[in-house]
Amino acid sequence: MRNIKWLVLVAVVLVIVSCGKKRLSPRVQVESDSLIAVAEGAHDPQRMLALIDSLEKVGDVSPVEAAYRRAVVCYDQEQFRQEEAYYRTVVAADIKTESDQRFYYNSVTNLTARLLSKGDYEGALRTTLSALKKMEDSHVTSPHIYAGLYNSVGNCHLNLEQQAEAAANYAKAYAYYQQDVAADTTSSALRSAIVGMCNTAIYYINAKYYAESLPWLDRIEQMLAAYNQKSRHDEVFAGEIGACLDLYRATVYQGLGRTDDAAAAYREFESTDYAQSDLGRLDATDYLVEARRYREAADKLQHLDRLMGEWGMDYSLENIQGYLLPKFRANLGAGRQDSALAVGAQICQVLDSAIRWQKRSDAAELATIYDTQEKERTIAAQEASLGQQRLIAITAVSVLVVLALALFIYFRQRAARQLAAEHAKLLEAYAEVERSNAQLERKNEELTVANARAEESSKMKTNFIKQISHEIRTPLNILSGFTQVLTTPGMTLDEAMRSDINRQVKENTDRITGLVNKMLELSDASSSAVIDRSDLVTAQLIALQAVDDSGVEHQRHVSFTMVAADDVAACPVHTNQRVATRVLALLLDNACKFTRPAEAFHGQGADADTQASVVLHLTDDGRRLLFAVEDTGKGVPPEEAEHIFDEFVQLDEYYDGTGIGLTVARSLARRLGGDVWLDTSYTAGARFVMALPVEK
């Protein structure tokens, strides 16, 4: 729900930005704005795009405004790649007017939000810093614009785990909000500042920086009190912000361990009108789950399907993660196993539809992008051809005029030399045309190669989605089977069988959650940002935590041993304990999987008691701590030593898995300053090594 809440705030920010204080003089712009407003009300994207093309062609809207409005249409159609391309067009444009300045600022804000949602934190930071420099070079003085940009910069730093830089930029944004409020006596500046600071508070809360979020909640409360003193203020807006403040405080106090204060703040929230609304009930589930009040959270999510229908929202992959999975966890935590299993069955039912819809949407958007690019290239070629024709015509007319004047003024020999010089120019122009044609042919070849790569990427994504669908459906089927056993009339279960059923329900629930977490980790795998390494821990602590997280000691088919000299086990290392533990746990999970016969995953009679061996060695080479995970499984061919770290790669499709665990492990290790590799000298199975740098 936090994602939805954040997107709502972004939408409010954009509305306020688009209603800023600067306006163009009321000429044809007023008429074009009216036409665009009518087209937006008709909810016809094709009509809207045609209108924008027409207005741009006759000069009623600038190319900057046209690109911005096309991006908005693409967002409404969920064509996010094309939306991002249009925003980049605006950001790269030369801004000359106040109107273009406003659309430029909106585009920077929206592009930053899009890049942050994709996990491209460094790209978002580059975009906002470049926009700040352009505004400063253009001598822009609007505190409203600077507040929004510094807020975006702070969001980027916080996502990159650069907390000090984030705090400094948030402070600059707050100073500009105060300037804007002091300069504007109306309520609009206060409203804009409140929304921007809510955005900051939510970012801190989502990052679990609870203590840092408290001062911002106090500032919002002060601004809201000033807003309520204005004669013309929106009481509905003020009531919703006040209710959200109570809910934010409840979540923050719960995260800080102040459970009594959290409960008191939540009671304040429950007394508001917003808490009784559909959106308020959904927002409340964040705190309720955090406080382990699962039964109340499950009650508030009872009518989720009806709300999704009323809001016109389909169960896409994001909505399954944002709505159905929290509903599943709430019912499971409340002990409502029947409801939890019903939600699990619903997840299984809508997952295939969501995946097919996502594939069709991606394919349609790619087709649109390629079609648009082809049209742009065609138009550019036509314009170039027309320019060449004009140049040739002008040159020919010039030659005729010069020749006529030469025949009239000068004698024949000098006229002949001039004609020869002009002919040489024509030959050079022809040669330039030939060179341009050769360049165009090379561009066409590059496009062909790019299309082939895109098709290959689409095939890999399709196989990955099929595998993920299978991975989720299998544990859900197991849960469904146990439900039938538990609900069969007259069925008597002894304590051992009941304990086994409870164990398998938990294991398969954890398996679904693990798969979703892996998919989220994959979205961050391509990032090159360095992870904070401020934790000072021992090698033994990392190893023991990873062993516990992976459950390798409890696997019946594996005998596990950890080998480490005392000085190595006690060796301290500056790293990120959570991430280092995660990498090692992924390697141990991989060893457990491939030491088990493939038939064990498909019920073909493999002996579950067959003992394999997994050994964890802790050593160092003077510069690095080395965690080597050895197993006696089927092993990896030496020629595949690097290929297995690519996304979605599975050397044996008969084993269950997604093909992303090793990719995530290597990416996280390298961002810690270390690495993960396959030791091809080991032939009794597979040996994967994680290295962490040690500062002497």
Side-chain angles (χ1 to χ4, degrees):
M1 299 305 175
R2 290 175 179 167
N3 292 335
I4 297 301
K5 189 186 301 176
W6 180 80
L7 290 175
V8 170
L9 279 173
V10 171
V12 175
V13 170
L14 296 184
V15 170
I16 293 174
V17 168
S18 64
C19 299
K21 295 184 282 296
K22 294 186 176 181
R23 291 288 185 270
L24 287 175
S25 56
R27 51 180 186 83
V28 182
Q29 183 69 31
V30 174
E31 182 179 352
S32 65
D33 286 346
S34 299
L35 292 172
I36 290 173
V38 171
E40 287 176 342
H43 302 292
D44 186 345
Q46 298 305 319
R47 176 183 173 187
M48 184 69 178
L49 291 173
L51 177 61
I52 294 171
D53 291 342
S54 300
L55 292 175
E56 181 184 15
K57 188 173 183 180
V58 300
D60 284 351
V61 299
S62 68
V64 170
E65 180 180 355
Y68 170 78
R69 294 194 181 279
R70 291 187 185 105
V72 173
V73 174
C74 290
Y75 173 80
D76 292 337
Q77 298 301 303
E78 299 185 3
Q79 297 176 351
F80 300 127
R81 293 185 182 89
Q82 189 66 20
E83 175 205 15
E84 181 180 333
Y86 282 127
Y87 283 142
R88 290 189 184 278
T89 298
V90 177
V91 171
D94 187 14
I95 309 302
K96 298 179 179 179
T97 66
E98 284 188 358
S99 177
D100 284 352
Q101 184 184 100
R102 177 164 57 93
F103 293 116
Y104 172 82
Y105 169 67
N106 289 355
S107 297
V108 169
T109 304
N110 295 357
L111 178 58
T112 300
R114 174 60 53 207
L115 294 175
L116 288 176
S117 70
K118 291 169 51 179
D120 186 3
Y121 307 136
E122 293 181 342
L125 183 60
R126 286 194 299 270
T127 299
T128 49
L129 291 178
S130 175
L132 272 172
K133 186 177 186 306
K134 182 176 286 191
M135 289 296 181
E136 291 169 352
D137 293 343
S138 302
H139 305 292
V140 175
T141 59
S142 170
H144 176 77
I145 289 179
Y146 283 116
L149 288 176
Y150 275 113
N151 205 358
S152 295
V153 174
N155 295 342
C156 297
H157 280 301
L158 199 60
N159 277 291
L160 289 169
E161 299 186 12
Q162 298 169 352
Q163 185 182 350
E165 292 83 350
N169 284 285
Y170 284 144
K172 292 179 181 178
Y174 180 60
Y176 278 114
Y177 283 134
Q178 290 178 310
Q179 290 183 27
D180 196 29
V181 169
D184 188 354
T185 59
T186 67
S187 62
S188 62
L190 276 167
R191 181 180 179 129
S192 175
I194 289 170
V195 172
M197 290 190 295
C198 282
N199 186 289
T200 301
I202 289 173
Y203 257 92
Y204 270 129
I205 293 171
N206 286 347
K208 298 189 183 303
Y209 291 122
Y210 297 120
E212 289 78 358
S213 67
L214 281 175
W216 288 96
L217 298 180
D218 294 336
R219 292 169 181 169
I220 296 168
E221 193 166 9
Q222 294 170 4
M223 287 273 190
L224 185 60
Y227 178 79
N228 286 326
Q229 296 300 317
K230 296 292 182 179
S231 58
R232 302 184 65 179
H233 67 276
D234 186 342
E235 294 184 358
V236 175
F237 169 79
E240 290 184 357
I241 291 296
C244 288
L245 273 175
D246 291 330
L247 191 57
Y248 298 161
R249 288 190 185 278
T251 304
V252 169
Y253 290 151
Q254 186 67 34
L256 292 173
R258 297 165 55 182
T259 56
D260 291 341
D261 292 337
Y266 182 71
R267 286 194 296 272
E268 289 292 328
F269 167 76
E270 284 284 82
S271 66
T272 64
D273 293 337
Y274 179 69
Q276 310 310 316
S277 68
D278 291 332
L279 189 56
R281 293 189 186 95
L282 292 183
D283 286 346
T285 58
D286 285 343
Y287 162 74
L288 294 173
V289 171
E290 185 75 17
R292 300 180 181 273
R293 295 165 65 170
Y294 297 117
R295 185 176 297 276
E296 295 175 60
D299 290 341
K300 290 185 180 295
L301 288 168
Q302 269 187 332
H303 304 292
L304 176 61
D305 291 336
R306 174 180 62 81
L307 295 178
M308 295 285 286
E310 291 177 358
W311 293 340
M313 297 174 64
D314 295 325
Y315 278 116
S316 62
L317 292 176
E318 291 182 356
N319 289 336
I320 290 173
Q321 177 191 352
Y323 290 103
L324 286 182
L325 281 179
K327 184 176 180 181
F328 175 81
R329 295 191 187 101
N331 280 282
L332 190 64
R336 300 176 179 177
Q337 293 188 354
D338 291 346
S339 298
L341 291 172
V343 177
Q346 185 182 8
I347 293 174
C348 183
Q349 180 180 358
V350 302
L351 186 60
D352 285 338
S353 298
I355 292 172
R356 287 195 298 271
W357 177 87
Q358 189 75 38
K359 288 168 59 180
R360 288 196 300 269
S361 177
D362 288 348
E365 185 174 355
L366 286 172
T368 301
I369 291 173
Y370 290 141
D371 184 59
T372 301
Q373 292 174 344
E374 185 63 31
K375 288 180 179 178
E376 290 176 351
R377 283 192 291 270
T378 302
I379 292 172
Q382 291 174 348
E383 291 178 349
S385 176
L386 182 60
Q388 291 172 358
Q389 292 175 7
R390 288 175 179 171
L391 178 62
I392 293 173
I394 292 172
T395 304
V397 171
S398 299
V399 170
L400 292 175
V401 172
V402 171
L403 181 59
L405 290 175
L407 289 173
F408 180 73
I409 299 173
Y410 299 102
F411 55 88
R412 183 177 300 175
Q413 185 177 1
R414 186 170 182 177
R417 287 198 298 268
Q418 290 178 344
L419 183 61
E422 295 299 332
H423 180 66
K425 292 180 181 179
L426 286 175
L427 290 177
E428 178 61 27
Y430 178 76
E432 182 65 27
V433 171
E434 290 294 327
R435 287 193 292 270
S436 297
N437 288 337
Q439 291 178 356
L440 182 59
E441 290 178 358
R442 287 196 298 272
K443 293 294 184 182
N444 287 335
E445 292 175 356
E446 292 173 0
L447 179 60
T448 301
V449 174
N451 285 337
R453 290 176 178 172
E455 290 177 1
E456 180 63 23
S457 176
S458 178
K459 290 179 181 178
M460 291 180 66
K461 185 185 292 185
T462 298
N463 292 336
F464 170 70
I465 290 174
K466 289 180 179 178
Q467 187 65 26
I468 283 293
S469 176
H470 171 72
E471 286 286 320
I472 293 179
R473 185 181 291 109
T474 298
L476 286 177
N477 286 338
I478 293 174
L479 293 175
S480 178
F482 282 130
T483 300
Q484 294 177 10
V485 171
L486 292 173
T487 57
T488 299
M491 175 62 68
T492 301
L493 301 177
D494 56 31
E495 188 60 32
M497 182 175 295
R498 186 176 299 276
S499 175
D500 183 61
I501 290 175
N502 289 336
R503 177 184 60 79
Q504 294 201 45
V505 167
K506 184 180 183 303
E507 286 179 355
N508 285 279
T509 301
D510 291 343
R511 184 177 176 186
I512 295 174
T513 303
L515 286 170
V516 174
N517 289 337
K518 275 191 178 181
M519 293 170 67
L520 294 176
E521 287 177 335
L522 180 62
S523 66
D524 192 42
S526 60
S527 173
S528 59
V530 177
I531 297 174
D532 175 64
R533 293 182 281 168
S534 59
D535 299 332
L536 181 61
V537 294
T538 64
Q540 184 177 30
L541 182 59
I542 294 174
L544 291 176
Q545 185 62 51
V547 169
D548 185 61
D549 290 349
S550 67
V552 65
E553 291 183 309
H554 306 296
Q555 297 290 329
R556 291 192 303 167
H557 73 287
V558 168
S559 63
F560 173 75
T561 307
M562 185 169 72
V563 180
D566 291 341
D567 58 336
V568 176
C571 179
V573 58
H574 281 280
T575 187
N576 186 301
Q577 180 181 355
R578 178 184 61 80
V579 176
T581 300
R582 177 60 178 160
V583 174
L584 187 55
L586 286 171
L587 298 182
L588 290 169
D589 285 339
N590 190 70
C592 289
K593 180 191 301 182
F594 291 101
T595 52
R596 177 181 297 163
E599 294 82 6
F601 288 91
H602 302 278
Q604 297 182 10
D607 184 5
D609 294 324
T610 300
Q611 284 290 306
S613 173
V614 174
V615 182
L616 173 58
H617 292 276
L618 274 63
T619 59
D620 72 53
D621 61 0
R623 296 180 300 106
R624 301 173 299 180
L625 279 176
L626 302 178
F627 299 79
V629 179
E630 291 180 0
D631 63 61
T632 56
K634 63 178 298 181
V636 179
E639 63 272 13
E640 299 290 342
E642 286 300 314
H643 184 221
I644 58 173
F645 289 99
D646 292 339
E647 294 179 356
F648 316 136
V649 170
Q650 292 180 273
L651 301 182
D652 188 345
E653 295 183 354
Y654 203 60
Y655 279 85
D656 285 355
T658 60
I660 62 178
L662 293 178
T663 305
V664 171
R666 171 173 277 189
S667 172
L668 293 176
R670 288 181 173 177
R671 290 170 63 191
L672 288 174
D675 204 355
V676 170
W677 68 86
L678 175 69
D679 184 356
T680 55
S681 65
Y682 181 75
T683 58
R687 176 192 289 153
F688 286 91
V689 183
M690 177 182 78
L692 293 178
V694 178
E695 298 177 2
K696 296 295 184 180

